[in-house]
Amino acid sequence: SIERPFANNYYILAAGSLYKSTYKDYAGNVYDTRFNRGYQVNLIGGKEFKLNTSGRKIIGLNGKLLYSGGMRESVIDVGASKIRNREVYVPGLYYSKQGPAYFRTDIGIYYKVNRQKATHSLQLDIQNVTNRQNYFSSYFDNKTGTVKQFNQIGILPNISYRIDFHW
C-alpha cells in the first residue's frame, strides 16, 4: 500500500494484494474457493475545495478504481443437469473455472457545511459510473437446457444527507 493521508485538502491511497484462497475436503483434496481471485488492486483519492474564507462550506470530490481477478465457480455438467432437471456440477472441478476480471469506477461529490454543533453533508455517489457489466455467475436454465450467465448491477447512484453532531 501507498498512502498519502488527508492533508492540504486531498488524500490518495493505492493498495494491491496477491493471494490464493483454497480449502481441503475430508478426502484431503485441495480446491480453490469461490473467492480465489488471485489479485486485488484499489486506487482511492479525493480533494476538498473551500467555498468561503472561513472554510465552513466545502465541496468535495472523490473517486475509486477497483480491479480484481474474477470470482470462481464450479463447472456445470450440462448433460447430467438435463437428465436431473437441476444444476449438477462436474465432480472434482469445484471452483476451478475463473470468471472474467472485475473492474469498477466509483465517483462522488459532496457539499459540506460545518456549524458549531453539527456538520451537514449532502452527497451524491455513483458506483460503477461506466456502467460496466461485471460478470457474476453462471446457472443452468431448465427451460432451455443451457448454461446462462448473469451480471452484477450496472450503474448505481446514491444520494445521502448526513448530520454529524459535535459534542
Side-chain angles (χ1 to χ4, degrees):
S1 294
I2 299 170
E3 180 180 11
R4 195 226 179 251
F6 187 79
N8 298 325
N9 298 322
Y10 78 96
Y11 69 96
I12 192 163
L13 170 68
S17 297
L18 297 174
Y19 62 93
K20 185 172 185 173
S21 176
T22 60
Y23 71 95
K24 187 185 290 190
D25 67 9
Y26 289 114
N29 300 312
V30 177
Y31 299 101
D32 290 316
T33 69
R34 175 162 173 73
F35 305 101
N36 187 16
R37 294 175 177 243
Y39 62 92
Q40 173 80 35
V41 178
N42 300 318
L43 179 62
I44 303 166
K47 172 95 174 125
E48 287 188 345
F49 303 91
K50 295 179 182 177
L51 298 179
N52 58 12
T53 55
S54 69
R56 291 176 50 183
K57 295 182 179 180
I58 297 168
I59 291 266
L61 302 172
N62 53 55
K64 178 172 32 174
L65 295 172
L66 305 157
Y67 184 66
S68 66
M71 296 282 269
R72 294 193 171 267
E73 60 187 6
S74 298
V75 177
I76 298 171
D77 185 333
V78 176
S81 296
K82 286 179 181 179
I83 292 168
R84 294 187 182 155
N85 203 29
R86 66 174 176 83
E87 195 168 88
V88 176
Y89 300 117
V90 175
L93 295 181
Y94 308 113
Y95 300 115
S96 62
K97 180 180 171 189
Q98 187 169 19
Y102 178 90
F103 180 75
R104 191 177 91 199
T105 304
D106 301 343
I107 61 170
I109 184 168
Y110 59 88
Y111 174 68
K112 187 188 307 186
V113 177
N114 293 307
R115 299 199 176 185
Q116 186 174 0
K117 295 188 178 188
T119 298
H120 299 259
S121 302
L122 177 63
Q123 184 161 340
L124 170 64
D125 287 314
I126 302 175
Q127 292 182 1
N128 196 9
V129 71
T130 62
N131 201 29
R132 179 181 164 103
Q133 299 300 302
N134 283 302
Y135 175 82
F136 182 70
S137 185
S138 296
Y139 66 96
F140 178 74
D141 185 343
N142 290 334
K143 292 179 183 176
T144 64
T146 60
V147 174
K148 294 187 176 179
Q149 77 175 42
F150 59 96
N151 295 327
Q152 295 185 10
I153 192 167
I155 193 167
L156 179 65
N158 182 32
I159 297 175
S160 63
Y161 182 75
R162 176 176 165 169
I163 301 173
D164 292 313
F165 295 99
H166 309 287
W167 300 105

